[in-house]
Amino acid sequence: QLDPFFTPHAAQHGRPVVHAVFRDFTDPGHFYPLGLPKQYDVIFNACWYPVKRPLLFLEALSHAKTAGRRISAIMFGYHWGAGRWSTSTDLEKQAHDMVESLGLPVTFLETIWDNSEINRRYNICRCAVLTTQSEAGPRILPEANLAGLPYITTSDVYGGSAAYVNDQNGRLCPPHPSAVAEAIWHVLDHLDTYRPREWALQNMCLPVAEIRLKEALQRMAIVNDWRINIDGVHGTASTGNDWIQQILDADKAIGCNDGET
């Protein structure tokens, strides 16, 4: 795995693993600062799925309101259309109802797949938050960092984010409403101390991932006496955000169920 979180797990199984996920190849030319006026404190961008814990985020906003320092946000999520990847409409409704009943300063936006619009949404916010419990690799992290936003996530996440977040590009916090709110306040009060885009360009995203992928394949070639066309390796950063639909369509064509291949 290119993600450092998974590398020890691969080593424990006694075999080399190279799994280059879409997030590794986020393009610095797709997500970048626009210099737009900031309209919201936080952007929460995640599919409507329980593991992303959007209600935990809203509980943090409720805590902030009660504490006398409101946190404004925009929320939207990628929508999946089939099988185990499908959007939880019940969860989405719970979020809307919670915002309305508690009077939280949240604006819900529609799903969008256009990178330029997503980048604009990042740019009108001051930081990005994702209270996810598990992920295969951080996707929102590189997008937000490249757009110039510090990234806040919960410390118990099983996956890649915790391996990347540091005092240059964001903040980790316990998965509790008060802790999430306090982390957001801290970042908002110290925005000038973060260098998210600079850090992302040096440590992740398309240019770095291509180098790391070639190095990983080269090690595999040496260990296994394989011949690998390493010079032909390149990232697919131009792939659209609708990649999951292509998989689902292909699965349907060959008779797979629930997106399984």
Side-chain angles (χ1 to χ4, degrees), residues 40 61 65 70-74 99 103-107:
Y40 303 92
L61 299 194
K65 179 184 176 183
R70 291 156 61 98
I71 296 171
S72 62
I74 56 174
V99 165
L104 301 178
V106 173
T107 299

Side-chain angles (χ1 to χ4, degrees), residues 150-226:
Y151 175 89
I152 302 165
T153 194
T154 40
S155 55
D156 67 334
V157 59
Y158 181 88
S161 288
Y164 288 104
V165 176
N166 56 73
D167 58 7
Q168 297 180 60
N169 73 331
R171 191 169 181 87
L172 292 173
C173 62
H176 304 295
S178 60
V180 175
E182 289 166 5
I184 295 172
W185 288 332
H186 179 90
V187 169
L188 293 177
D189 289 341
H190 299 85
L191 283 175
D192 292 343
T193 68
Y194 293 97
R195 299 292 181 269
R197 181 171 174 86
E198 180 180 339
W199 185 90
L201 290 173
Q202 294 175 354
N203 293 278
M204 63 189 312
C205 306
L206 176 62
V208 176
E210 286 188 352
I211 295 173
R212 294 173 62 197
L213 177 56
K214 290 180 180 181
E215 290 175 346
L217 290 174
Q218 187 173 42
R219 289 194 298 270
M220 289 179 69
I222 293 172
V223 171
N224 296 279
D225 194 26
W226 291 347

Side-chain angles (χ1 to χ4, degrees), residues 65-100:
K65 179 184 176 183
T66 302
R69 185 178 178 183
R70 291 156 61 98
I71 296 171
S72 62
I74 56 174
M75 293 184 71
F76 63 98
Y78 299 122
H79 286 65
W80 310 132
R84 67 176 182 270
W85 296 102
S86 61
T87 286
S88 172
T89 54
D90 288 342
L91 180 61
E92 187 173 5
K93 184 179 185 304
Q94 287 181 57
H96 281 260
D97 290 346
M98 189 171 175
V99 165
E100 183 176 354

Side-chain angles (χ1 to χ4, degrees), residues 16-164:
V17 175
V18 176
H19 176 61
V21 293
F22 180 80
R23 308 134 182 88
D24 289 308
F25 295 97
T26 306
D27 194 328
H30 289 172
F31 299 95
Y32 52 89
L34 294 173
L36 297 176
K38 301 298 184 180
Q39 301 176 36
Y40 303 92
D41 294 322
V42 173
I43 181 172
F44 187 96
N45 175 14
C47 56
W48 292 106
Y49 203 66
V51 73
K52 299 303 179 183
R53 300 190 292 200
L55 301 187
L56 170 59
F57 172 64
L58 294 179
E59 289 169 356
L61 299 194
S62 178
H63 171 84
K65 179 184 176 183
T66 302
R69 185 178 178 183
R70 291 156 61 98
I71 296 171
S72 62
I74 56 174
M75 293 184 71
F76 63 98
Y78 299 122
H79 286 65
W80 310 132
R84 67 176 182 270
W85 296 102
S86 61
T87 286
S88 172
T89 54
D90 288 342
L91 180 61
E92 187 173 5
K93 184 179 185 304
Q94 287 181 57
H96 281 260
D97 290 346
M98 189 171 175
V99 165
E100 183 176 354
S101 64
L102 296 176
L104 301 178
V106 173
T107 299
F108 291 99
L109 300 179
E110 294 297 322
T111 293
I112 188 73
W113 301 106
D114 179 68
N115 281 338
S116 63
E117 171 58 17
I118 296 174
N119 186 52
R120 187 193 70 82
R121 293 181 181 183
Y122 281 121
N123 271 268
I124 61 175
C125 300
R126 296 178 177 84
C127 66
V129 176
L130 193 57
T131 49
T132 187
Q133 191 171 20
S134 177
E135 59 187 0
R139 174 176 184 154
I140 306 305
L141 168 59
E143 292 180 356
N145 275 183
L146 287 174
L149 276 65
Y151 175 89
I152 302 165
T153 194
T154 40
S155 55
D156 67 334
V157 59
Y158 181 88
S161 288
Y164 288 104

